[in-house]
Amino acid sequence: MAPTSDDDADLMAAFAAVVRANTSLVGQLSARAGIHENALRALVLVSDTGYSTPTEVAGYLGLTSGAVTNMIDRMTAAGLLERAPNPADRRGSLLRLLPAGETVVEDYRARYGAMLRAVDGAHGGELHEVLNSLATSLYEQAADAVGDRGD
């Protein structure tokens, strides 16, 4: 690998600061909701997809099926989501948000939305293009890293 320049170091420090700040916000929002950070991420996933399977949640969060089952049990007991029969798999279930889970996700989206609008407005209204480009580049690097494992 080529050595990093001062500009690279500044960019990496800025990106690391964003990652840490996001971790802090997710931690505060999950604590406010009385749930673990992974549970908040799971609720947002279920909201994004309309429903998810426990297997999808496990893959998204990088957790074992047992850990996800325990997390789902806690969120179900807390009234945040429900399990429904999966018509495509008699042995499986679909996860759907309940109103309390929708409220948690609405708070999450409102806070992120306000922050992103403020940053976008302060930087010329092009933030969505920068974020889309960043996401694409991250996915490309992830694919390259998978390919590099075989070398």
Side-chain angles (χ1 to χ4, degrees), residues 52-104:
S52 293
T53 66
T55 301
E56 291 167 339
V57 171
Y60 174 70
L61 296 175
L63 298 174
T64 66
S65 61
V68 169
T69 297
N70 290 335
M71 181 179 66
I72 291 167
D73 288 345
R74 289 189 300 276
M75 289 193 296
T76 300
L80 298 171
L81 57 77
E82 68 178 349
R83 285 185 178 98
N86 184 344
D89 179 1
R90 290 184 312 172
R91 295 174 295 147
S93 61
L94 298 176
L95 306 173
R96 290 190 290 221
L97 293 183
L98 293 173
E102 291 172 3
T103 299
V104 170

Side-chain angles (χ1 to χ4, degrees), residues 83-128:
R83 285 185 178 98
N86 184 344
D89 179 1
R90 290 184 312 172
R91 295 174 295 147
S93 61
L94 298 176
L95 306 173
R96 290 190 290 221
L97 293 183
L98 293 173
E102 291 172 3
T103 299
V104 170
V105 174
E106 287 168 8
D107 181 45
Y108 170 95
R109 291 192 196 291
R111 289 175 184 275
Y112 272 91
M115 176 267 304
L116 290 168
R117 282 189 306 278
V119 171
D120 188 45
H123 294 279
E126 302 299 325
L127 183 60
H128 67 283

Side-chain angles (χ1 to χ4, degrees), residues 136-150:
T136 298
S137 294
L138 287 168
Y139 283 125
E140 289 169 352
Q141 288 300 314
D144 287 349
V146 168
D148 291 346
R149 281 194 275 184

